[in-house]
Short mmCIF file of all heavy atoms in Angstrom, two decimals:
data_model
loop_
_atom_site.label_atom_id
_atom_site.label_comp_id
_atom_site.label_asym_id
_atom_site.label_seq_id
_atom_site.Cartn_x
_atom_site.Cartn_y
_atom_site.Cartn_z
N LYS A 294 158.44 48.43 62.18
CA LYS A 294 159.25 49.32 63.01
C LYS A 294 159.16 50.70 62.51
O LYS A 294 160.22 51.47 62.43
CB LYS A 294 160.68 48.86 63.11
CG LYS A 294 160.81 47.48 63.77
CD LYS A 294 162.23 47.02 63.79
CE LYS A 294 162.38 45.73 64.66
NZ LYS A 294 161.54 44.63 64.07
N ARG A 295 157.99 51.15 62.11
CA ARG A 295 157.73 52.53 61.64
C ARG A 295 156.65 53.15 62.50
O ARG A 295 155.77 52.45 62.95
CB ARG A 295 157.30 52.57 60.14
CG ARG A 295 158.28 51.94 59.17
CD ARG A 295 159.55 52.76 59.02
NE ARG A 295 160.47 52.11 58.07
CZ ARG A 295 160.54 52.38 56.82
NH1 ARG A 295 159.73 53.27 56.30
NH2 ARG A 295 161.48 51.81 56.09
N PRO A 296 156.76 54.42 62.73
CA PRO A 296 155.66 55.07 63.55
C PRO A 296 154.36 55.05 62.79
O PRO A 296 154.27 55.18 61.55
CB PRO A 296 156.16 56.52 63.72
CG PRO A 296 157.12 56.73 62.57
CD PRO A 296 157.71 55.38 62.33
N THR A 297 153.26 54.91 63.51
CA THR A 297 151.94 54.97 62.95
C THR A 297 151.58 56.40 62.53
O THR A 297 151.79 57.30 63.38
CB THR A 297 150.87 54.48 63.98
OG1 THR A 297 151.16 53.15 64.39
CG2 THR A 297 149.46 54.52 63.34
N PRO A 298 151.29 56.62 61.28
CA PRO A 298 151.06 58.00 60.81
C PRO A 298 149.95 58.70 61.59
O PRO A 298 148.91 58.03 61.93
CB PRO A 298 150.66 57.79 59.30
CG PRO A 298 151.20 56.47 58.95
CD PRO A 298 151.17 55.67 60.22
N ASN A 299 150.15 59.98 61.87
CA ASN A 299 149.10 60.74 62.57
C ASN A 299 148.12 61.29 61.57
O ASN A 299 148.31 61.29 60.27
CB ASN A 299 149.67 61.79 63.51
CG ASN A 299 150.53 62.78 62.72
OD1 ASN A 299 150.16 63.24 61.66
ND2 ASN A 299 151.73 63.10 63.30
N LEU A 300 147.03 61.87 62.08
CA LEU A 300 145.94 62.38 61.23
C LEU A 300 146.50 63.56 60.35
O LEU A 300 146.12 63.72 59.19
CB LEU A 300 144.76 62.92 62.05
CG LEU A 300 143.63 63.47 61.36
CD1 LEU A 300 143.00 62.45 60.33
CD2 LEU A 300 142.51 63.93 62.33
N ILE A 301 147.33 64.40 60.92
CA ILE A 301 147.86 65.54 60.19
C ILE A 301 148.63 65.14 58.98
O ILE A 301 148.49 65.66 57.83
CB ILE A 301 148.66 66.47 61.04
CG1 ILE A 301 147.82 67.13 62.14
CG2 ILE A 301 149.44 67.52 60.28
CD1 ILE A 301 148.58 67.93 63.18
N GLU A 302 149.55 64.14 59.17
CA GLU A 302 150.35 63.59 58.07
C GLU A 302 149.41 63.03 56.96
O GLU A 302 149.60 63.16 55.79
CB GLU A 302 151.30 62.55 58.53
CG GLU A 302 152.14 62.01 57.43
CD GLU A 302 153.19 60.97 57.92
OE1 GLU A 302 153.11 60.60 59.07
OE2 GLU A 302 154.03 60.53 57.09
N ARG A 303 148.42 62.24 57.42
CA ARG A 303 147.50 61.60 56.46
C ARG A 303 146.75 62.65 55.67
O ARG A 303 146.60 62.55 54.41
CB ARG A 303 146.52 60.69 57.20
CG ARG A 303 147.12 59.48 57.76
CD ARG A 303 146.04 58.57 58.40
NE ARG A 303 146.57 57.43 59.09
CZ ARG A 303 146.91 56.25 58.45
NH1 ARG A 303 146.72 56.16 57.15
NH2 ARG A 303 147.45 55.26 59.11
N LEU A 304 146.32 63.74 56.30
CA LEU A 304 145.59 64.80 55.54
C LEU A 304 146.51 65.52 54.58
O LEU A 304 146.08 65.84 53.49
CB LEU A 304 144.96 65.73 56.59
CG LEU A 304 143.77 65.27 57.40
CD1 LEU A 304 143.36 66.27 58.42
CD2 LEU A 304 142.60 64.97 56.46
N ALA A 305 147.73 65.75 55.00
CA ALA A 305 148.66 66.42 54.16
C ALA A 305 148.97 65.64 52.87
O ALA A 305 148.98 66.20 51.75
CB ALA A 305 149.95 66.77 54.90
N VAL A 306 149.19 64.34 53.05
CA VAL A 306 149.49 63.55 51.86
C VAL A 306 148.23 63.40 51.00
O VAL A 306 148.36 63.55 49.77
CB VAL A 306 149.96 62.12 52.30
CG1 VAL A 306 150.03 61.14 51.16
CG2 VAL A 306 151.32 62.25 53.00
N LYS A 307 147.10 63.27 51.61
CA LYS A 307 145.87 63.20 50.80
C LYS A 307 145.62 64.43 49.98
O LYS A 307 145.24 64.35 48.80
CB LYS A 307 144.66 62.88 51.69
CG LYS A 307 143.38 62.58 50.87
CD LYS A 307 142.21 62.15 51.75
CE LYS A 307 141.10 61.70 50.85
NZ LYS A 307 140.71 62.64 49.78
N LYS A 308 145.83 65.58 50.59
CA LYS A 308 145.65 66.85 49.86
C LYS A 308 146.60 66.97 48.71
O LYS A 308 146.27 67.45 47.61
CB LYS A 308 145.83 68.03 50.80
CG LYS A 308 144.72 68.24 51.85
CD LYS A 308 143.42 68.61 51.14
CE LYS A 308 142.25 68.92 52.18
NZ LYS A 308 141.05 69.24 51.56
N SER A 309 147.87 66.57 48.91
CA SER A 309 148.83 66.63 47.89
C SER A 309 148.52 65.66 46.71
O SER A 309 148.66 66.00 45.56
CB SER A 309 150.28 66.26 48.51
OG SER A 309 150.64 67.18 49.46
N VAL A 310 148.06 64.46 47.07
CA VAL A 310 147.66 63.48 46.03
C VAL A 310 146.43 64.00 45.27
O VAL A 310 146.39 63.92 44.06
CB VAL A 310 147.44 62.12 46.70
CG1 VAL A 310 146.78 61.17 45.63
CG2 VAL A 310 148.63 61.49 47.20
#
Side-chain angles (χ1 to χ4, degrees):
K294 300 176 174 56
R295 301 292 178 93
T297 301
N299 58 45
L300 181 60
I301 293 176
E302 182 180 7
R303 291 183 182 278
L304 287 174
V306 170
K307 187 176 187 311
K308 289 293 185 183
S309 298
V310 172

